[in-house]
Amino acid sequence: MIIAAPDKEQALPPLTTGASGEGPLKIAIPVKIGIENSLDEILLFARQQNASDVHLSVNNPIKLRKFGNLIPQTAELLTAISIQKKIESVLKPDQLSKIKTLGDLEI
């Protein structure tokens, strides 16, 4: 079977090509996370822990999905305001609008 190289119309968008994400970190990976950590710190910790998902929901601890299981990472429970601040710090205005309209956003 012969597979042709994709033309420019079929190629991946520029944001999905290039750097592997293995470059130097701007912040340190936390050894442990709490509800006061930034979303970037939580995501770095999740990646280091080989988690497939991060779950942030009101009145629940931060949870990581590892090998199909949701594992609580904090004793403290998240508040609506703490989640909102974390989300607003990293999303673009159109993404924030989508969350407010649909109540959900897959990134």
Side-chain angles (χ1 to χ4, degrees):
M1 171 188 256
I2 298 173
I3 300 174
D7 61 31
K8 285 186 179 184
E9 289 181 30
Q10 295 175 329
L12 291 172
L15 291 177
T16 60
T17 60
S20 67
E22 299 297 329
L25 296 175
K26 294 181 181 176
I27 58 175
I29 300 172
V31 175
K32 179 180 165 183
I33 56 171
I35 62 169
E36 71 284 347
N37 285 101
S38 70
L39 189 55
D40 284 339
E41 291 168 327
I42 294 167
L43 294 174
L44 284 170
F45 179 81
R47 182 177 182 192
Q48 190 266 338
Q49 295 290 314
N50 294 315
S52 61
D53 299 314
V54 174
H55 289 249
L56 305 176
S57 61
V58 176
N59 295 325
N60 281 286
I62 297 171
K63 298 177 186 176
L64 300 183
R65 183 177 304 279
K66 292 175 68 174
F67 307 106
N69 299 310
L70 280 176
I71 304 165
Q73 300 297 306
T74 59
E76 314 99 337
L77 304 181
L78 291 159
T79 64
I81 291 176
S82 68
I83 293 172
Q84 182 176 350
K85 286 180 181 178
K86 289 177 193 331
I87 291 170
E88 288 176 347
S89 72
V90 296
L91 293 183
K92 297 175 185 171
D94 63 313
Q95 293 172 315
L96 285 170
S97 175
K98 211 177 252 187
I99 282 182
K100 289 176 182 174
T101 303
L102 305 174
D104 191 58
L105 178 68
E106 295 268 340
I107 307 177

